[in-house]
Every structure is written in C-alpha cells, then in structure tokens.
Amino acid sequence: MNTEEKRYADVIIDISSDKLDRVFSYHIPENMKDSVAPGSVVTVPFGKGDRCVRGYVTGVSSATLYDPDKVKDIAGILTDGFDPKANLVGLAAWMRERYGCTMAQALRTVLPVKRSVQEKEKKTIALSLSQDDASAALREMRKKHQNARCRLLEALMAEPQLPWEIVRDKLHITLAQARAMEERGILKILSEREYRSPRAMQAQNDQPVTLTEQQREIADTIISEWDRETADGLQYLIHGITGSGKTEVYIELIAEAVRRHQQAIVLIPEIALTYQTLMRFYRRFGDRVSLIHSRLSAGERYDQFERASRGEVDVMIGPRSALFTPFPNLGIIVIDEEHEPAYISEGSPGYHASEVALERAKREKARLVMGSATPSLQTYYAARNGFVRLFTLPQRPGSARLPETEIVDLREEMREGNGTLISRRLREEMEQTLSRGEQIMLFINRRGYAGFVSCRSCGKALKCPHCDVSLSLHNNGRMMCHYCGYSEPVPKICPSCGSGFLRSFRAGTQQIEEETAKLFPQAKVLRMDMDTTRGKDEHTAILSAFSGHEADILIGTQMIVKGHDFPDVTLVGILAADLSLNAPDYRSAERTFQLITQAAGRAGRADKPGKVIIQTYDPEHYSIQCGAAQDYESFYEQEMGFRSLAGYPPAGGIIAVRCSGPDQEYLEKACGYLGAFARRLGGRCMVSVLGPADEPIAKIQDTYRKVIYLKHGDMNVLTHIREKLEQYVEINEGFRTITIRYENLA
Ligand code: ADP
Ligand code: ZN
Ligand code: ZN
C-alpha cells in the first residue's frame, strides 16, 4: 500500500472565456504526481456527465478546500507538442498571488485575447534607384522641403531594404507617402512572398563591433554561467551611462541565445527605442526580429505572439507587454532602462515588469539582464545583497567626456531681483551656445500633481510631520498629505527661517517658452509636453525635427530626456529641480537624481564638450549634489539611509490599496471601514496602516479616488493582510460599486 500524502491541482478549464477566475480542484493520481505542475495541460472530467475537457494547472498543493471524497481525479496529461501558453498560465497564477487581482485579470494580462483577424502581410520597402539617381532625387525633394520623403530616401540609401513596420513607426512615413514615392519609381513596396527572395532582410553579419575588454568580460561571464541552475534565478545588472555600450552587450548575449536555438525578449521603453537602435538589431538578426508597440490592435498583437509561438521569431522587442511573448524556448530577457516607471503597470494586476521577468526567467530557466545609468534603488539593493550580479560600464567607448555641471541657487537669484525661471548664469550660457550655432535643451520636471508650498527665502518645502513627503496645496487653501491624510492651513511665516515668502510653486513649459521667446526672439524654439503631443507620433516627430537641427532650443518635460541622439546639444538646463524633488512621493529624491543624471547624459559628445546647469532652491540636497557629480554610489547610500529610517521600500514593503467610485460620500464610508478592518488585522503583526487619504489627483472623470497604505518590513506579511482584505471585500456587498486595486510599491 502506498501511504504517501495526496496531491491536488487547481485547474482552469477554459482560457478564452470570461470565467477565467473559476479554478477547480482535482486530485492528482499517484502515477501523475511527478509530472503535474503549474502550467501542465491536463484533461479532466467536467460538468454534467463528466465530459472530458482540456484544462491548465495553475497550482499544486497537498490540501483541497473541498470535500476530498468528492474531488475528482485528473484524467490525463496532454503532451501533444509543447504548449508555451502553459508556462504563461503558471506565471499568471504567480502574479495573482503576488499582486492581488483575480485569476481572470492575470490571465488576460499574460494571454492576448484571441481575435479572428486576417493575418496582415508583412511588407518591405526596397530602393529602386542607383545611389547616383537616389542622390539626385534627394536633392530635388530637399528643394521642395519634402522632409518625410527625404527621411525615407536617406534611410534607404544607407539600407536598401527596410521592414515596413520600422518605416512607419520609427521614420513616421504614411503608406500614402510611400505609395507616392513608388509611383515616381523611387522605391518598391514588396509583399511577403516577394521579399522572401534572396537578399532581403537577412542578417547581414557585417562585421559586428569588436567588444571592448569591459564589454567582453560582461558577456563572457554571463555566457559562462548560461547552464548554471540557481533557485534565485540568473540576474544581472549592467550599470552604465547612456552610450557606454550596454546595447552592444545585449546583442552579443542574444546572439548566444540564438546559437543555442533559444529566443530573446528585449524590453525598451517605447520613447527610448530609436531607429538607429532598432536597426542594429535588424542588421544582426534580420527578419527574425519582431517589434510590438502600444498602438498595435489586440488582433495585431495576437498575430505577433502567434508567430512567436510557431517559432518564426527569435527576438521580440517591445514595451512591458512584450514580456508575455509565448516563446517555446526562452533564453534571455533584457530590460533596458530598468528604472523606468513605465515598467510598472497601472492596471490590475499592478505588476512590475522586472519582478515578473525574473519569475518567468526562473520558471523557464532563462536569464534576466537589466541595464540602466541610474538603476532603481530596488534593483541596486538586490545587487548589493548578492541576488543580482552587478557589472559597471563607467565609460563611453572612445574618448567622450562627461559634461561639466553647475548648480545655480535660485534663492540668490530671487534676492538679486530676478524672479523669472531663467537665471542669469543660464542666460549667459544660452547666449554663448546660440552664438556658436549649437543647440540647447531646457527641462522642467512637471508631473500632474497639485503644487507644493515652499519658502523662496530658505528653499524648504513644507512636509508632512508623519510621512516626510511634501504636502500638496489644495483649492480650499489647506495643505494635504497624500499618504496619511494629514492636513493643515498654509502658515503665515516659514517654520524653518521665519520669512514671509511662502509660495505655492507652479511652473510649466508654456511659461518657459514665453520667457525664452522674450530673451531670445531670434531663436527657433520647439516645445514638447502633454499639450503638444497628443499621440506618440507627434512626440517622436518633434524629437526627429530637433535632432535634425530644425530648431535651436527644445523645451520639455522629462519625456525629452530619452531616446534620440542630439549631437549638437551642448547645453542642458534643468530649470527647477525642486519640482520633482518636492513631488508628494517617497521616491522624489530618486526621480530627481535620475532626471539630472539622464539629462546630463544628453549634453555633449566626443568632439564637443557639454555643459549642464541645474537650477534649484535647495542646492545642498544630496540628490542634486550627487546628480551634478554623477555619483550614483553616494546617492544610493544617502537615499537608503532615508528609506531605512522611514521604512520605505526597498527597506520595507508598502502596499497601496487604491479605491475609487462615483459617489464620494459612499467611497469615504467604505474606505473608512476598510481602513478600520486593516488596522484590526494589522495590529497583531505590527503592520502600520496609513489613511485613507485622497489620491494626489482626487477625482478623475467624475470618479473619486482614495488610498490606504499598508507598511511593514516584510512583504510576505503584507501579502497575507492583502489576501484577508480581498476576502473581506469579496463577501461584503457594500463594496460592489467600488473599484479596488492593489499596488506593491517599490
Ligand atoms: P548604451 O546601450 O549603453 O546606450 P550603446 O551600446 O548604444 O550604449 O553604444 C553607444 C554607441 O557606441 C553606439 O553607437 C555603439 O555602436 C557604439 N559602441 C558600443 N560599443 C562599441 C565597441 N565595442 N566598439 C565600437 N563602438 C561601440
Ligand atoms: Zn524659509
Ligand atoms: Zn502624512
């Protein structure tokens, strides 16, 4: 008699229906014990008459919540070919647990919705002219100022065949424009069958760059550990400034994966993925590269994923959602610009791409390689603690120097009677830069928050006495904390220095544009912010124009920090570092440091030295000092000190419980109950519960928003409390009209 304990499996039956969160319990027969795991595809008896149906196992345990005598046996395991979707189902189960959402939401995130659309034919654009004729055509088009057509023709002269998706998405050419050029005999638009002819987008293998010694060492180390098995997963971080050669290392590693018949996922923030970078991947891997982006329809994304699961693609490049490409044999996941907030989903589940990537890598025995000039504190903390292997690339290949930085004290400027946003030093430098015919970028880090209140005399912002984040000024004249709900009226005098110069701080790109126009009426100015860029196309179009030196000055929010090479930019001005520093968020110093470091990376290239001017009311702040010195290590030390004292991640865990609903009074009441329940639960295990408080944006489209924060040193304790809250909400009818979203902060 076999006396071993019984095993049970959670099984979802139909992954294309809406009842995705219905999980059924089945007993695992003795002979299948070793082969059933999360992600297994099984057949089970189901419904009336025990019809045999296909199901996916989402979890395995030694207990069942149901009467063991009534739980049925799994009928069989399907091994008919490998099913990449099964891995993703297992991953969804993990995400459900980690982030608190329904199984249906998790599954919808990892499995694209099936849509029966006609698969679109891939198109390729091919140059039809000789180089000489092309040059002549280019001259003619220049005279007519046909900028878009010139852009395409130049690209084709360098690369005679280009995939249509790149021409459309990265060169911003419409099909009508391409057709017009085809009619004039300049190019040909080839369909799939035609371009699969000999010398199409095949990998050209044209002399890949020779890696520097440092790049070689990173690549060799990771390759030498390729077959190692570890419980923590194989994780690497390349800490290197923009242009230090990280992408070259990724390409080398992906080539290794391809040699081993494995596939690669490359996450790059959409704005940061330039035409040049994308072409480097295409030149190396040909049309085995596929690109997804946020404007694809559900059907198009589904097609791309189908191609990947059929093995027609080796490398998938894209934003966050590319992480769920159903590759049959995943070898490597790359996350470039790892610190980017865009890698945190604002939907449900509110997942972090790097955490999910690590989990997927562990499950599929792949490796995770992250890169950044300013790694998130979370990742660097993991590196310091030995979970992530850290490499640094401190220099740019060649001899490019880092720009010179200078901090301008705006309090001084104020005392001297200059109340504008452009200091006298910045103005001088701008004059000189313009007279040399070089370009300028001016940044303002404005996020959609209510203004904070600060002292123009000593520079201090007013903070919450409980949470150490800035208070936000509201229309009713009171200042509020968006973490704990504390509020107070604006004081008459500054609590730090006694001056009467307390003001709310607001500054926008439009205001800067006006001031710039007044100071430099002859300069051509471009502005980029939420108002000037409705779609992503306009966004990159402005950057392309500036990159092509169609303007002297570019003014924008942090969105202009990324992507594109600006060889002529030699002056960067950060107009009010305080705007990000005093955002009502515990990560404000980290965001400020990142902004300064990334912005500084835009100034100057090998042949032209650059200059960065940082304007602030708080020149001694470590994020500004370290940013100006490009000193990540000391920033990390000081910021970790603050996080540890205040119990903020990565020193401790925080879960935000975000509640929203159409009826303000009702929402407040419900959040009150939820908060009280959380306090009762949390009291025993020392979880602190903050709030409920209004969100920084307390109302969006007639929906009111409140938040409760749960804080504890151990994320597992918080996860436990969150599960209890989920159950409480589930059984209380009173929460029906309220939407609740859980978010793990990091
Ligand atoms: P990052 O990803 O860190 O921004 P890249 O890999 O894009 O850096 O490299 C920046 C530039 O330097 C690119 O134009 C790249 O082609 C070039 N480059 C990188 N590594 C080398 C190398 N070993 N030899 C020559 N050029 C290199
Ligand atoms: Zn003061
Ligand atoms: Zn507070």
Side-chain angles (χ1 to χ4, degrees):
M1 254 317 273
N2 196 328
T3 55
E4 273 182 56
E5 61 167 345
K6 287 188 178 301
R7 304 285 287 166
Y8 298 92
D10 294 331
V11 176
I12 337 169
I13 303 299
D14 183 359
I15 55 173
S16 58
S17 91
D18 263 353
K19 301 220 168 53
L20 285 170
D21 40 357
R22 289 285 283 151
V23 175
F24 300 88
S25 194
Y26 284 89
H27 175 246
I28 306 174
E30 197 54 42
N31 63 339
M32 296 182 200
K33 258 187 181 171
D34 295 334
S35 29
V36 171
S40 298
V41 189
V42 292
T43 50
V44 289
F46 186 72
K48 284 221 175 72
D50 282 346
R51 201 160 49 91
C52 213
V53 299
R54 189 182 173 94
Y56 288 88
V57 175
T58 60
V60 172
S61 66
S62 54
T64 174
L65 292 173
Y66 305 93
D67 180 354
D69 293 333
K70 298 213 175 116
V71 172
K72 296 168 197 159
D73 277 11
I74 289 178
I77 304 179
L78 289 179
T79 46
D80 52 338
F82 184 68
D83 184 350
K85 290 190 183 76
N87 281 327
L88 292 170
V89 171
L91 188 65
W94 178 87
M95 287 169 75
R96 201 221 73 76
E97 229 162 76
R98 170 89 192 164
Y99 300 110
C101 59
T102 63
M103 192 61 201
Q105 287 169 327
L107 285 169
R108 252 178 239 123
T109 305
V110 305
L111 299 170
V113 185
K114 200 180 222 149
R115 288 280 154 78
S116 49
V117 292
Q118 188 100 44
E119 251 186 62
K120 282 227 187 78
E121 203 171 43
K122 285 185 94 170
K123 287 199 271 294
T124 294
I125 306 293
L127 182 63
S128 313
L129 303 177
S130 69
Q131 287 287 328
D132 285 348
D133 290 347
S135 299
L138 187 62
R139 274 194 298 278
E140 197 183 314
M141 286 178 346
R142 281 236 176 82
K143 268 190 224 137
K144 294 188 198 153
H145 299 285
Q146 296 172 321
N147 288 343
R149 294 184 193 191
C150 290
R151 203 157 56 231
L152 176 54
L153 184 52
E154 277 174 327
L156 285 170
M157 286 167 72
E159 201 75 50
Q161 296 212 358
L162 289 168
W164 166 243
E165 47 179 354
I166 294 188
V167 170
R168 182 192 56 199
D169 300 337
K170 293 286 157 186
L171 295 174
H172 310 289
I173 308 293
T174 63
L175 194 55
Q177 285 167 333
R179 289 249 157 83
M181 290 171 77
E182 186 174 35
E183 270 164 34
R184 291 203 40 213
I186 296 171
L187 52 81
K188 259 201 148 71
I189 303 173
L190 306 175
S191 68
E192 184 148 23
R193 277 175 308 279
E194 290 168 297
Y195 91 81
R196 284 204 184 279
S197 57
R199 83 135 281 175
M201 273 314 286
Q202 279 164 17
Q204 295 170 6
N205 285 323
D206 58 344
Q207 306 286 314
V209 302
T210 312
L211 296 187
T212 62
E213 209 172 301
Q214 279 165 325
Q215 288 170 320
R216 190 72 261 162
E217 200 178 311
I218 299 173
D220 285 349
T221 308
I222 297 176
I223 290 169
S224 73
E225 293 179 356
W226 208 273
D227 296 312
R228 223 175 87 188
E229 303 224 349
T230 77
D232 293 331
L234 291 165
Q235 299 185 71
Y236 307 90
L237 170 65
I238 307 176
H239 178 201
I241 58 167
T242 310
S244 60
K246 298 184 295 294
T247 305
E248 234 27 85
V249 177
Y250 307 150
I251 289 176
E252 188 67 18
L253 293 171
I254 294 165
E256 175 69 18
V258 171
R259 267 194 290 280
R260 292 167 177 259
H261 306 288
Q262 296 178 331
Q263 300 87 35
I265 293 172
V266 183
L267 305 189
I268 298 187
E270 216 152 356
I271 327 168
L273 180 61
T274 60
Y275 172 76
Q276 284 81 6
T277 303
L278 193 53
M279 285 312 293
R280 280 156 73 191
F281 283 94
Y282 271 89
R283 276 192 210 105
R284 190 72 178 265
F285 304 108
D287 64 359
R288 306 287 297 170
V289 173
S290 193
L291 175 69
I292 60 173
H293 55 74
S294 55
R295 279 158 305 153
L296 290 183
S297 68
E300 286 168 324
R301 193 159 78 103
Y302 185 79
D303 281 354
Q304 297 272 58
F305 279 8
E306 281 298 295
R307 282 203 177 102
S309 73
R310 287 198 302 263
E312 292 172 20
V313 173
D314 291 329
V315 187
M316 182 65 86
I317 304 178
R320 204 172 57 214
S321 58
L323 194 50
F324 305 111
T325 309
F327 277 133
N329 187 13
L330 182 66
I332 183 171
I333 303 174
V334 171
I335 305 184
D336 192 33
E337 309 274 3
E338 164 279 331
H339 63 278
E340 266 296 300
Y343 287 131
I344 300 172
S345 162
E346 285 175 358
S348 220
Y351 69 92
H352 295 215
S354 56
E355 285 181 351
V356 177
L358 175 62
E359 182 61 24
R360 182 161 184 201
K362 281 191 205 169
R363 287 165 178 267
E364 300 179 34
K365 299 204 182 348
R367 54 242 81 243
L368 170 62
V369 177
M370 297 173 280
S372 174
T374 51
S376 66
L377 241 65
Q378 194 84 11
T379 300
Y380 208 72
Y381 180 79
R384 280 286 185 89
N385 289 286
F387 295 108
V388 176
R389 182 158 184 148
L390 177 67
F391 301 103
T392 46
L393 274 178
Q395 278 146 7
R396 290 182 179 156
S399 61
R401 274 164 297 167
L402 283 174
E404 196 184 311
T405 53
E406 188 177 322
I407 300 173
V408 171
D409 186 345
L410 287 177
R411 296 170 305 185
E412 197 77 28
E413 210 64 22
M414 184 77 180
R415 281 196 280 277
E416 300 287 330
N418 179 11
T420 70
L421 285 166
I422 296 176
S423 66
R424 290 159 305 164
R425 272 298 292 134
L426 180 57
R427 183 181 172 168
E428 267 169 43
E429 288 292 335
M430 286 175 75
E431 274 162 14
Q432 288 175 20
T433 309
L434 291 174
S435 71
R436 287 194 305 264
E438 293 166 1
Q439 289 177 297
I440 301 167
M441 290 174 100
L442 299 180
F443 290 99
I444 189 127
N445 192 10
R446 187 193 56 163
R447 313 180 85 196
Y449 291 125
F452 57 92
V453 177
S454 68
C455 171
R456 292 294 191 277
S457 187
C458 74
K460 293 276 170 288
L462 297 176
K463 297 201 160 182
C464 172
H466 310 294
C467 308
D468 215 4
V469 297
S470 297
L471 295 166
S472 300
L473 184 64
H474 281 247
N475 291 339
N476 62 11
R478 289 180 75 83
M479 302 179 303
M480 295 251 309
C481 171
H482 290 298
Y483 278 54
C484 70
Y486 168 88
S487 85
E488 65 174 58
V490 179
K492 294 268 179 300
I493 58 166
C494 169
S496 309
C497 75
S499 94
F501 279 115
L502 287 174
R503 297 282 185 275
S504 85
F505 197 106
R506 280 169 199 276
T509 45
Q510 208 166 344
Q511 195 183 342
I512 301 165
E513 191 180 20
E514 284 160 18
E515 286 187 15
T516 310
K518 247 186 257 160
L519 292 174
F520 305 101
Q522 72 296 357
K524 278 193 74 182
V525 179
L526 281 173
R527 172 164 71 95
M528 188 162 96
D529 54 27
M530 286 305 184
D531 300 332
T532 59
T533 55
R534 291 266 171 268
K536 292 216 166 61
D537 284 339
E538 290 158 72
H539 187 152
T540 17
I542 293 178
L543 292 176
S544 304
F546 188 63
S547 173
H549 212 139
E550 288 172 35
D552 307 299
I553 304 174
L554 176 62
I555 297 169
T557 51
Q558 61 269 35
M559 42 161 86
I560 63 176
V561 179
K562 311 263 153 34
H564 284 256
D565 224 12
F566 302 111
D568 292 341
V569 171
T570 53
L571 177 64
V572 165
I574 298 169
L575 295 183
D578 309 73
L579 279 176
S580 55
L581 193 52
N582 293 313
D585 184 332
Y586 73 92
R587 289 162 296 200
S588 59
E590 184 176 0
R591 297 270 187 264
T592 304
F593 175 79
Q594 285 167 355
L595 172 75
I596 295 175
T597 313
Q598 302 270 348
R602 308 268 41 155
R605 278 292 181 263
D607 45 341
K608 293 181 205 148
K611 180 144 202 148
V612 181
I613 293 195
I614 305 159
Q615 304 190 144
T616 174
Y617 288 96
D618 199 355
E620 288 87 29
H621 195 278
Y622 62 90
S623 66
I624 291 172
Q625 290 284 336
C626 297
Q630 305 271 302
D631 184 350
Y632 183 87
E633 290 288 323
S634 46
F635 170 74
Y636 174 83
E637 294 295 341
Q638 297 186 60
E639 182 64 9
M640 269 314 293
F642 159 68
R643 302 275 176 104
S644 307
L645 272 179
Y648 288 126
I654 297 187
I655 290 182
V657 185
R658 304 196 187 278
C659 310
S660 56
D663 182 334
Q664 185 174 20
E665 220 173 288
Y666 194 82
L667 178 69
E668 259 164 36
K669 226 179 181 168
C671 286
Y673 282 123
L674 199 59
F677 181 71
R679 284 198 169 82
R680 257 200 328 265
L681 276 176
R684 262 172 278 146
C685 33
M686 312 290 280
V687 170
S688 24
V689 178
L690 306 182
D694 282 348
E695 291 272 25
I697 303 170
K699 184 179 167 189
I700 295 179
Q701 292 175 335
D702 291 320
T703 303
Y704 293 88
R705 308 161 81 226
K706 291 187 98 60
V707 60
I708 298 167
Y709 289 98
L710 311 173
K711 242 169 98 175
H712 193 273
D714 183 351
M715 198 66 199
N716 294 325
V717 173
L718 290 179
T719 305
H720 173 72
I721 301 277
R722 193 206 66 220
E723 278 163 1
K724 291 273 187 275
L725 287 183
E726 285 178 274
Q727 287 162 12
Y728 178 75
V729 167
E730 171 94 30
I731 57 171
N732 270 286
E733 301 241 340
F735 288 101
R736 288 293 136 82
T737 62
I738 290 166
T739 309
I740 300 182
R741 199 175 78 81
Y742 302 91
E743 189 182 311
N744 298 356
L745 300 188

